[in-house]
Amino acid sequence: MRVSWNIIALLFFGVLTLFEVHAAMATKLPAWIQNVGATAKPKTNRHVNVASYGAVNDGNTLATKQIQEAIDDCAAKGGGRVEFAKGVYLTGALFLKSNVELHIPKGVTLQAVNNLDEFPDGPTRVAGIEMEWPAAIINVVGQNNVAITGGGTIDGDGKYLWDKYWSMREGYNKQGLRWIVDYDCKRVRSLVVANSSNVTIDGLTFLRAGFWTVQVLYSSHCTVSNLTIRNNVGGRGPSTDGIDIDSSSRILVEDCDIDCNDDNICIKAGRDADGLRVNRPTEYVLIRRCTTRKGAGLVTCGSETSGSMRYICCVDSKAIGTSSVLRVKSAMTRGGVVEHIYLSNIEVDSVGHVLNCDMNWNPSYSYSKLPKEFEGKELPPHWVAMLQRVSPEQGLPLYRNIHMSKVKVRYAHTFVNCVGAENSLVHDVELESIEAVAGTAGNIQYSDNFKMKNIKLTTLDGSVITQSDNINLFLAMKYNN
């Protein structure tokens, strides 16, 4: 059978085109995304029910001791699954062990008791500072091969802690202590994974966290999936982040739906002198098929940037009513490098900013200054850590290699706000294939090699992007005003 040279050529160039497409995709979604998340889960051939240890599911009887005994016994026998009958279990801090799955099925609620004595202080890191802090409701510390699964609920019942914070903050503000009140007001996180590996958190609903909801700290190969987080139930929960990935690597976050008061999905790596001392990055994080609602950002990098963060990828996700799609924030005492941040195929509606980059975020919180009346007095260790000076050279943060593509924006208040610093330009930002309606266009300042390609922007106020102090600014965009 004779085949024409034209057909052969078409087939050849068709294969070449496919190769080029796959190469381009590999650039946007590099090989490391295949090596994130937990690589093992506990075996479930042994089943332990907390009722056998006397745990009562009436929502009034404290069950911490009985649940912990079930966990410890299961671990001592080689691991397995700890299970619950339907009901509400009132609990303090629980500590999981290697090779144990805590299975919380639909119809089961673990409800935090309103008593800080049931959450003993221990060493951890909170908001970028290593310090003593209350244990979480569920703690995975120094373990391997752990899972927390099921369709059930973990209720932080945190309003008493929210009220405590707002009361303290009022007094601290008057004393010039806004910068330390978040650290002095110790509040309970819902779930903490620290210094651990191969941890899976799947299928749970989290309500009313007293502070952060899920924190993954100093850990690797963890999966956070299919979570529903609702922290604004019954009030306004301050600093109730959804998911915080903190100086950790090879993390997968997928299929989560988050409504909270602060950062929805946040990348952290330490604060100021203490974070620079630890110097541990967050890297290789894949976020996919997530939805964020109220809160500060679909993806937030910072403000704790000191240990640096790199290779963060978010795809196939939605931001609905969120403050920003991508928010990069730091301070001039924080240092660290934020780089290789990728967002693609994002649906957006009713957000504050599509891209919001700031190096001088929230000064009253970000910069520590001791009022005169405290000079010469003995200070708590975390105050001392916060007051340690950082040199101007160490304190400069650096943002570079930030990419956003295939973003459909039904409405944003501001399309872009990207402001670097005179001595720390934002380098190599690329926005591509974005169609947006915004109240106003926004501003770009102190950048180098900021590119917009194939941008269709409609601004309700008729504005165009303002810019100053930029190098190599390239805006290939169409205004539909």
Side-chain angles (χ1 to χ4, degrees):
M1 183 176 69
R2 297 178 64 185
V3 180
S4 74
W5 284 107
N6 287 339
I7 293 175
I8 293 172
L10 285 171
L11 287 171
F12 174 80
F13 286 110
V15 170
L16 182 61
T17 301
L18 283 173
F19 176 81
E20 290 172 345
V21 168
H22 284 296
M25 289 177 65
T27 300
K28 295 295 183 182
L29 299 177
W32 62 260
I33 70 169
Q34 303 300 323
N35 186 25
V36 296
T39 60
K41 288 182 68 175
K43 296 179 180 179
T44 56
N45 54 339
R46 179 178 292 103
H47 296 256
V48 174
N49 198 297
V50 299
S52 301
Y53 295 81
V56 178
N57 57 355
D58 62 0
N60 295 308
T61 305
L62 194 62
T64 314
K65 180 181 177 182
Q66 294 78 14
I67 298 171
Q68 190 64 57
E69 286 178 352
I71 293 168
D72 294 346
D73 195 27
C74 185
K77 292 177 179 177
R81 174 182 279 182
V82 175
E83 300 174 332
F84 298 79
K86 289 185 178 181
V88 178
Y89 296 81
L90 192 66
T91 185
L94 300 170
F95 296 86
L96 291 187
K97 304 292 179 64
S98 295
N99 304 312
V100 171
E101 175 185 349
L102 190 69
H103 186 69
I104 307 167
K106 188 174 181 179
V108 172
T109 296
L110 297 188
Q111 181 172 315
V113 62
N114 284 184
N115 182 355
L116 279 173
D117 290 341
E118 295 295 326
F119 301 90
D121 279 5
T124 187
R125 183 161 81 176
V126 172
I129 302 296
E130 290 188 343
M131 61 178 294
E132 294 286 314
W133 190 269
I137 304 168
I138 296 177
N139 304 269
V140 183
V141 182
Q143 306 299 316
N144 177 58
N145 195 28
V146 174
I148 308 100
T149 65
T153 299
I154 299 174
D155 186 353
D157 197 13
K159 189 175 185 305
Y160 79 106
L161 294 169
W162 307 344
D163 293 344
K164 174 186 176 185
Y165 173 80
W166 290 122
S167 177
M168 285 183 64
R169 179 162 160 177
E170 183 179 0
Y172 274 56
N173 284 349
K174 293 176 181 177
Q175 298 179 80
L177 296 172
R178 170 68 186 93
W179 53 274
I180 199 65
V181 63
D182 295 66
Y183 299 86
D184 279 7
C185 183
K186 294 183 176 181
R187 293 181 281 153
V188 177
R189 296 161 291 179
S190 293
L191 194 156
V192 171
V193 177
N195 298 292
S196 297
S197 59
N198 290 314
V199 178
T200 299
I201 307 163
D202 180 67
L204 300 164
T205 294
F206 288 85
L207 303 176
R208 303 186 293 174
F211 188 53
W212 295 351
T213 310
V214 176
Q215 182 185 10
V216 180
L217 171 66
Y218 300 157
S219 295
S220 65
H221 287 288
C222 298
T223 295
V224 181
S225 59
N226 298 295
L227 302 189
T228 300
I229 297 175
R230 296 290 182 266
N231 284 336
N232 290 314
V233 176
R236 179 187 172 205
S239 303
T240 53
D241 290 12
I243 298 168
D244 291 290
I245 310 302
D246 196 346
S247 290
S248 294
S249 64
R250 306 287 178 184
I251 309 299
L252 173 61
V253 179
E254 62 182 0
D255 300 305
C256 295
D257 190 317
I258 304 170
D259 185 284
C260 60
N261 182 254
D262 209 331
D263 297 312
N264 299 75
I265 301 172
C266 192
I267 311 301
K268 296 180 178 292
R271 173 173 178 165
D272 297 349
D274 200 59
L276 291 166
R277 173 187 62 81
V278 174
N279 193 29
R280 184 165 176 174
T282 290
E283 56 189 356
Y284 306 115
V285 178
L286 174 61
I287 302 159
R288 64 187 178 195
R289 300 187 304 271
C290 289
T291 299
T292 59
R293 302 181 190 276
K294 290 180 181 178
L298 168 61
V299 178
T300 297
C301 297
S303 67
E304 297 94 315
T305 61
S306 299
S308 298
M309 50 196 68
R310 51 189 176 241
Y311 301 111
I312 314 298
C313 181
C314 176
V315 297
D316 304 328
S317 294
K318 299 179 182 179
I320 305 169
T322 314
S323 179
S324 297
V325 179
L326 173 60
R327 185 172 193 174
V328 186
K329 58 182 181 177
S330 189
M332 304 304 283
T333 54
R334 210 133 298 173
V337 181
V338 179
E339 62 182 341
H340 299 295
I341 313 297
Y342 304 91
L343 279 78
S344 184
N345 198 26
I346 309 295
E347 296 181 27
V348 179
D349 190 13
S350 303
V351 302
H353 292 81
V354 177
L355 173 63
N356 189 4
C357 294
D358 186 3
M359 292 187 180
N360 191 31
W361 175 77
N362 196 359
S364 64
Y365 168 77
S366 290
Y367 302 114
S368 309
K369 183 178 180 181
L370 190 68
K372 288 184 177 180
E373 58 265 35
F374 293 93
E375 292 179 1
K377 295 183 179 179
E378 185 176 354
L379 302 175
H382 61 281
W383 283 46
V384 174
M386 289 279 284
L387 290 163
Q388 187 175 340
R389 296 298 94 190
V390 175
S391 70
E393 294 78 15
Q394 285 183 304
L396 276 179
L398 175 61
Y399 305 161
R400 63 190 180 200
N401 294 307
I402 297 170
H403 306 267
M404 297 181 72
S405 65
K406 299 180 182 178
V407 182
K408 177 73 173 180
V409 184
R410 292 187 64 184
Y411 179 74
H413 179 273
T414 303
F415 179 62
V416 60
N417 179 65
C418 184
V419 180
E422 187 175 4
N423 51 353
S424 183
L425 303 182
V426 179
H427 292 269
D428 301 310
V429 178
E430 184 177 79
L431 307 184
E432 183 176 7
S433 300
I434 298 176
E435 187 172 345
V437 177
T440 193
N443 179 51
I444 301 170
Q445 185 179 18
Y446 293 124
S447 75
D448 180 9
N449 198 31
F450 194 118
K451 296 179 180 179
M452 291 192 186
K453 303 176 181 179
N454 190 25
I455 307 296
K456 298 178 182 179
L457 176 61
T458 301
T459 56
L460 301 186
D461 66 355
S463 63
V464 298
I465 292 173
T466 61
Q467 60 88 18
S468 62
D469 304 296
N470 299 294
I471 303 171
N472 301 318
L473 183 66
F474 179 79
L475 305 182
M477 56 192 301
K478 179 181 179 181
Y479 290 101
N480 297 317
N481 296 340

